[in-house]
């Protein structure tokens, strides 16, 4: 049976790397993002369903998921960061923008996937939320992003419980220092908890894609509720 996965934020970074691995492994892949050209670039050389939607817009999310006849896995990946700053220097508009994508967007996509998985036949599926090392410990000046990733953990725990009655598993992957455009600053120096600025180790984003594929391939009576994958020597253990 063909396995079906939808990946949000599939036009770049972790989403793109993960989508290409799933495509190479023969999955039926749906790419969701705001920019069609970027999604088409992700799918180059493969056949994929492309859906353009803003994950923070309820109508657009519902319309996108209505296109799917079935869904086995959602990689709830779309997310954004914000420039580091003390909380009183962060514009409220920045907080609202991060929350719209990282919290509301996660909720809306999980809600749509849960409803589809609950009602399809045979029922069930798996939701994998993209968390972050920041779901455990913050970086300096990261209030909006860190708050949003703690919210993702709450979503994961709740869906992991509520999904049991409908054969829906929910997991979270917390990623540290995967080398994407968003994380490129790690190679030039980022603020540390002690006030220093320091270059940090990074890892190839392909390792993240491989972990998501592994999580997605498990039978539904098995779950990995929380997985952390990180560059070995990054300042996480002992950070702060």
């Amino acid at each position: 049976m063909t396995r079906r996965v939808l990946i949000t934020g599939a036009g770049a970074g972790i989403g793109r790397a993960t989508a290409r691995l799933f495509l190479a492994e023969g999955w039926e892949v749906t790419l969701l993002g705001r920019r069609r050209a970027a999604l088409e670039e992700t799918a180059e050389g493969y056949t994929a369903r492309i859906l353009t939607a803003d994950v923070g817009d309820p109508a657009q999310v519902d319309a996108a998921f209505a296109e799917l006849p079935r869904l086995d896995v959602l990689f709830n990946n779309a997310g954004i960061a914000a420039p580091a700053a003390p909380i009183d220097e962060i514009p409220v508009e920045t907080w609202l923008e991060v929350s719209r994508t990282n919290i509301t967007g996660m909720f809306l996509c999980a809600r749509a996937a849960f409803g589809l998985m609950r009602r399809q036949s045979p029922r069930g599926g798996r939701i994998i939320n993209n968390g972050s090392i920041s779901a455990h410990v913050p970086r300096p000046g990261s209030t909006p992003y860190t708050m949003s990733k703690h919210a993702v953990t709450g979503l994961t725990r709740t869906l992991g419980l509520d999904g049991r009655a409908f054969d829906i598993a929910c997991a979270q992957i917390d990623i540290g220092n995967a080398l994407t455009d968003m994380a490129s600053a790690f190679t030039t120096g980022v603020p540390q908890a002690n006030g220093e600025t320091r270059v940090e180790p990074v890892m190839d984003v392909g390792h993240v894609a491989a972990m998501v594929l592994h999580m997605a391939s498990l039978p539904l009576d098995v779950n990995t509720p929380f997985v952390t994958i990180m560059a070995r020597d990054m300042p996480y253990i002992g950070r702060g």
Side-chain angles (χ1 to χ4, degrees):
M1 179 184 296
T2 302
R3 295 168 294 178
R4 298 173 173 87
V5 60
L6 184 147
I7 299 169
T8 68
I14 290 168
R16 171 171 286 178
T18 304
R20 286 178 172 169
L21 181 58
F22 274 86
L23 286 164
E25 291 294 317
W27 285 61
E28 184 178 302
V29 179
T30 298
L31 310 175
L32 190 146
R34 289 179 293 180
R35 298 176 294 125
R36 185 173 187 88
L39 298 174
E40 289 174 345
E41 186 177 342
T42 295
E44 187 174 358
Y46 296 98
T47 299
R49 177 185 283 110
I50 293 176
L51 299 175
T52 55
D54 178 346
V55 297
D57 185 304
Q60 291 185 33
V61 170
D62 286 345
F65 277 80
E67 297 287 325
L68 305 177
R70 178 175 178 84
L71 184 62
D72 298 303
V73 176
L74 165 67
F75 182 32
N76 209 4
N77 166 70
I80 61 173
I87 189 170
D88 61 322
E89 297 178 15
I90 298 171
V92 172
E93 291 76 15
T94 297
W95 158 251
L96 294 173
E97 182 182 10
V98 171
S99 298
R100 185 176 186 275
T101 298
N102 294 12
I103 300 177
T104 301
M106 283 273 182
F107 168 82
L108 291 174
C109 291
R111 177 179 181 272
F114 194 99
L116 179 57
M117 293 171 177
R118 175 181 177 178
R119 294 173 178 84
Q120 64 192 6
S121 181
R123 74 179 184 184
R126 189 181 307 273
I127 296 169
I128 301 173
N129 294 324
N130 188 346
S132 171
I133 296 293
S134 291
H136 304 274
V137 289
R139 287 186 176 277
S142 66
T143 300
Y145 184 78
T146 295
M147 287 180 67
S148 74
K149 292 305 182 177
H150 278 260
V152 173
T153 298
L155 174 67
T156 300
R157 291 186 185 279
T158 305
L159 294 186
L161 177 61
D162 293 350
R164 293 175 183 174
F166 308 107
D167 299 319
I168 298 171
C170 187
Q172 180 169 318
I173 181 167
D174 294 325
I175 302 162
N177 288 21
L179 186 54
T180 64
D181 289 343
M182 195 167 85
S184 60
F186 297 141
T187 63
T188 59
V190 289
Q192 304 295 308
N194 65 359
E196 297 178 358
T197 296
R198 188 182 306 164
V199 171
E200 293 188 9
V202 294
M203 65 177 174
D204 190 287
V205 70
H207 297 304
V208 177
M211 182 62 75
V212 175
L213 177 65
H214 171 69
M215 296 165 73
S217 300
L218 293 170
L220 285 180
D221 61 348
V222 178
N223 195 26
T224 51
F226 293 93
V227 170
T228 299
I229 183 168
M230 54 179 266
R232 187 196 65 196
D233 294 336
M234 69 169 289
Y236 164 52
I237 305 299
R239 185 162 102 190

